[in-house]
Amino acid sequence: MPIYTCTTAQGTLEGATKGELAGEITRIHSEINHVPPAYVNVVFTELPRDSVYVGGEPGAPLLITGWARRGHPQESTTRLALELSAAASRVTGIPERSVLVVIQDSPARSAVEGGQVLPDPGHEKEWMSRQEV
């Protein structure tokens, strides 16, 4: 259900680092939002180095944008962003000052997965039972 897009300049992250970061994003999201790891999607986007700027100058930040269903407590969302930032820096070696994490949300009914409108937070079990039929 949640989607995380990690955007970097080309060559910033090796394949193994991407895998480790995807694992950490999945673990953290699953633990904080109480959803199975299989629900978490992580995508990496690499842009040409001359297409990434910070403060008007060429840069190599790690930009993590996440989407989740609206309805999670704000304290949990803030904790999620903080833990993702720290884990991203630890895994990649990119200084945390160069990591930006933004968690966006919208109503679950604004998204469809597997042909089904997503459930509101807390209603995953009944949604999953409909997926298995």
Side-chain angles (χ1 to χ4, degrees):
M1 292 180 200
I3 304 165
Y4 287 93
T5 303
C6 303
T7 304
T8 60
Q10 287 176 337
T12 301
L13 302 177
E14 299 291 326
T17 303
K18 290 177 187 178
E20 187 177 351
L21 181 55
E24 280 295 279
I25 290 170
T26 299
R27 180 188 64 75
I28 291 166
H29 185 96
S30 295
E31 287 177 4
I32 292 175
N33 285 339
H34 310 290
V35 297
Y39 283 11
V40 182
N41 299 279
V42 180
V43 178
F44 290 88
T45 301
E46 293 183 302
L47 300 172
R49 287 202 170 267
D50 64 355
S51 295
V52 182
Y53 289 77
V54 177
E57 300 292 327
L62 172 55
L63 310 172
I64 301 174
T65 305
W67 176 85
R69 296 165 295 148
R70 185 168 295 150
H72 297 286
Q74 183 58 56
E75 299 79 24
S76 296
T77 302
T78 300
R79 180 176 152 225
L80 177 64
L82 287 167
E83 288 193 25
L84 290 173
S85 179
S89 180
R90 184 181 69 253
V91 167
T92 65
I94 296 172
E96 200 165 359
R97 69 180 175 276
S98 296
V99 176
L100 172 64
V101 177
V102 177
I103 306 296
Q104 301 170 332
D105 66 9
S106 62
R109 65 185 174 277
S110 295
V112 172
E113 184 173 352
Q116 299 288 318
V117 174
L118 295 182
D120 287 327
H123 297 276
E124 294 85 4
K125 285 184 183 179
E126 60 193 54
W127 185 81
M128 285 301 293
S129 69
R130 289 195 310 265
Q131 296 297 318
E132 296 171 1
V133 253

